[in-house]
Amino acid sequence: MKTRTCVWTACLAFSAAFSALHGSEHRSGVVRLSDGQDHEGEIWFTNGQLRVYESAEGKSGRYVNVTQDELTGVAFTFKERSMERPWRFKEAGSDEKEYLPGTYPLVNLVAEVTLASGKALTGHLINAPVYVRVPDLANPMDHQTLKFHMKYQYQGEVGQKYEDLVFVEEIRFSDGKAAAAPGADGSL
């Protein structure tokens, strides 16, 4: 009996430490992908925060950390998109390129991160995973965790078109838990 109590206490301590290390709890909302799929469920980020490089055109910027508790939403829009040709260097050490057949899509995105304070940060979202816990259709008593990577640039494979690239287009929190923390402009 004493061993069970020790194991149970250790599990609770680990759980508390894990929660403290990885930030705040999950929040209800919807993750919309560029192909139109919506995934509604509990949403969270690694360490409970995002990092945004906010800058104006042609000027140096700043890195801003935003906790998921400060967020009301994140939306991505196209900054640039192009069809590129694959290439390689003709020889090792040479700067002469040799173009290969075909094209692939290259997309650069801009993130608009909306805060509970009403302020919006616009810039590059530093690569971050977003997790969504959704009900498991096969077993309604269980759930499934989906993971999507958010980044500012996506490159397709040769032969793909823009429509073939699937990325997070928008995150909307629906739980109303966004907290305008003191100085809720993110932290530098």
Side-chain angles (χ1 to χ4, degrees):
M1 183 71 171
K2 193 171 191 175
T3 304
R4 263 193 205 164
T5 304
C6 289
V7 169
W8 183 248
T9 305
C11 286
L12 287 175
F14 176 76
S15 176
F18 185 81
S19 296
L21 178 65
H22 292 287
S24 58
E25 60 190 59
H26 308 165
R27 294 188 51 204
S28 297
V30 177
V31 173
R32 170 165 283 166
L33 301 180
S34 60
D35 64 357
Q37 290 184 61
D38 283 346
H39 297 284
E40 186 172 353
E42 297 177 30
I43 301 171
W44 72 97
F45 308 110
T46 302
N47 296 329
Q49 68 179 10
L50 296 177
R51 189 172 174 103
V52 180
Y53 182 73
E54 183 184 38
S55 68
E57 282 296 319
K59 296 183 180 177
S60 62
R62 64 186 184 136
Y63 288 98
V64 181
N65 294 322
V66 181
T67 66
Q68 73 185 31
D69 293 334
E70 296 176 273
L71 290 173
T72 59
V74 180
F76 291 92
T77 56
F78 290 111
K79 181 178 180 180
E80 300 170 338
R81 57 186 218 167
S82 61
M83 293 300 288
E84 299 290 325
R85 289 180 55 202
W87 58 270
R88 64 180 178 201
F89 290 113
K90 277 193 170 189
E91 296 177 11
S94 170
D95 61 351
E96 190 176 348
K97 294 179 182 178
E98 176 181 38
Y99 287 92
L100 305 171
T103 59
Y104 62 88
L106 183 67
V107 174
N108 290 320
L109 301 173
V110 172
E112 183 174 308
V113 178
T114 309
L115 304 176
S117 65
K119 182 175 179 178
L121 304 173
T122 303
H124 288 301
L125 185 69
I126 306 305
N127 294 359
V130 58
Y131 301 91
V132 186
R133 182 179 301 173
V134 297
D136 189 345
L137 298 177
N139 182 359
M141 299 302 290
D142 202 0
H143 65 273
Q144 179 181 25
T145 301
L146 306 173
K147 179 180 178 181
F148 303 102
H149 287 278
M150 297 183 298
K151 52 188 180 177
Y152 74 92
Q153 186 178 73
Y154 291 88
Q155 177 178 321
E157 299 292 327
V158 173
Q160 286 186 319
K161 297 181 175 24
Y162 295 120
E163 300 80 30
D164 298 327
L165 293 177
V166 178
F167 53 87
V168 174
E169 189 174 78
E170 181 181 22
I171 299 173
R172 290 184 318 267
F173 290 104
S174 59
D175 58 9
K177 290 184 182 176
D185 295 338
S187 61
L188 298 176

